[in-house]
Amino acid sequence: MFDFAVFGSLFLTLFVIMDPPGITPIFLALTSGRPAKVQRRMAWQAVCVAFGVIAVFGICGQQILDYLHVSVPALMIAGGLLLLLIALDLLTGKTDEPKQTKDVNVALVPLGMPLLAGPGAIVSVILAVQRADGFSGQVSVWAAIAAMHVVLWVTMRYSLVIIRVIKDGGVVLVTRLAGMMLSAIAVQQIINGVLQVIHTS
C-alpha cells in the first residue's frame, strides 16, 4: 500500500530545501529579457534537469560519492561556492549584459543544478531511498520526488505572469533581491559544509 507518512515527510523536506516560492525571483532574474516561449521552455528544462540529477543520485548516489571519494560536506561547500559566484553576478548586474546571458542556458546551471537539485535535496533523497521499506516505501519516495518537481514547474511556469506586471524596472529590483537571497543561501550552505567537516574530524 502507499505510505502517506513517507510521502508527506519527504515532500515537505524537499519543499523546504528546494523552496518553490523562493526560487521564483531567482528564476525571473536569470531568465529576464528572453521571449516568453523561451522562458517557459527553460522552466521545463530546469525541472527536467533537476529531476534527472535527483533520480540518478536516488538510484546510485551513495555509490557515486564513494567511487569519487567525495564527502557530503565537500558537495555542500562546492555547491555553495558555485551559487555564490552566480549571486555576485546578479548583485553586480552582469547578467544584464546580453553577451553573458543570452546564449547561456541557465536552465541547466544554475537553475537545474545546484539551485533545484542541490546538495541538500540530493542527500535527502539518498537517505530517503535507503530508509524506504519495501515496494510501497520506494513508490512513496519516488511519488514525493515527482510531485515536488511538478510543484516546481507550476511555480516557475506561472511566475512569468509577474514579469508582465512588474515591467523592466521591477525585474531589475527582483534581480538584485534574488542576488542577495542567493548569496545568503550560498554562504549558509558553505557554513553548513564546514561545520559538518569539523564535527566529523
Side-chain angles (χ1 to χ4, degrees):
M1 293 181 64
F2 191 83
D3 193 331
F4 285 98
V6 172
F7 174 89
S9 175
L10 181 57
F11 181 84
L12 288 176
T13 299
L14 291 178
F15 190 91
V16 171
I17 293 173
M18 302 176 96
D19 191 18
I23 204 69
T24 299
I26 299 172
F27 173 76
L28 293 176
L30 291 173
T31 61
S32 63
R34 293 176 171 85
K37 183 179 179 180
V38 174
Q39 290 174 320
R40 287 193 294 269
R41 186 174 71 243
M42 293 177 79
W44 173 249
Q45 288 175 337
V47 170
C48 288
V49 168
F51 182 80
V53 172
I54 291 290
V56 168
F57 276 94
I59 295 169
C60 51
Q62 193 59 56
Q63 291 84 348
I64 293 173
L65 294 180
D66 291 342
Y67 178 77
L68 296 175
H69 303 291
V70 174
S71 65
V72 172
L75 188 66
M76 295 177 69
I77 294 171
L81 289 173
L82 179 58
L83 289 181
L84 188 57
L85 291 173
I86 296 158
L88 291 175
D89 280 346
L90 290 176
L91 283 169
T92 57
K94 289 184 178 179
T95 54
D96 295 333
E97 299 172 16
K99 290 182 180 179
Q100 294 196 18
T101 60
K102 302 305 179 186
D103 299 325
V104 176
N105 192 350
V106 295
L108 307 181
V109 178
L111 277 175
M113 183 178 182
L115 277 177
L116 298 182
I122 289 172
V123 172
S124 297
V125 168
I126 291 175
L127 293 177
V129 170
Q130 290 176 348
R131 293 170 182 169
D133 294 327
F135 180 75
S136 62
Q138 292 293 334
V139 169
S140 303
V141 165
W142 288 101
I145 294 170
M148 185 66 249
H149 284 80
V150 170
V151 171
L152 285 168
W153 176 78
V154 170
T155 302
M156 289 190 292
R157 168 67 177 81
Y158 290 98
S159 67
L160 299 178
V161 178
I162 300 173
I163 291 181
R164 302 191 190 102
V165 176
I166 63 177
K167 306 299 182 183
D168 291 341
V171 169
V172 173
L173 176 61
V174 167
T175 299
R176 300 299 181 265
L177 291 174
M180 187 169 61
M181 290 166 48
L182 193 56
S183 62
I185 293 170
V187 171
Q188 186 62 56
Q189 191 164 293
I190 294 170
I191 292 172
N192 292 342
V194 171
L195 289 176
Q196 285 197 28
V197 171
I198 295 172
H199 289 159
T200 55
S201 61

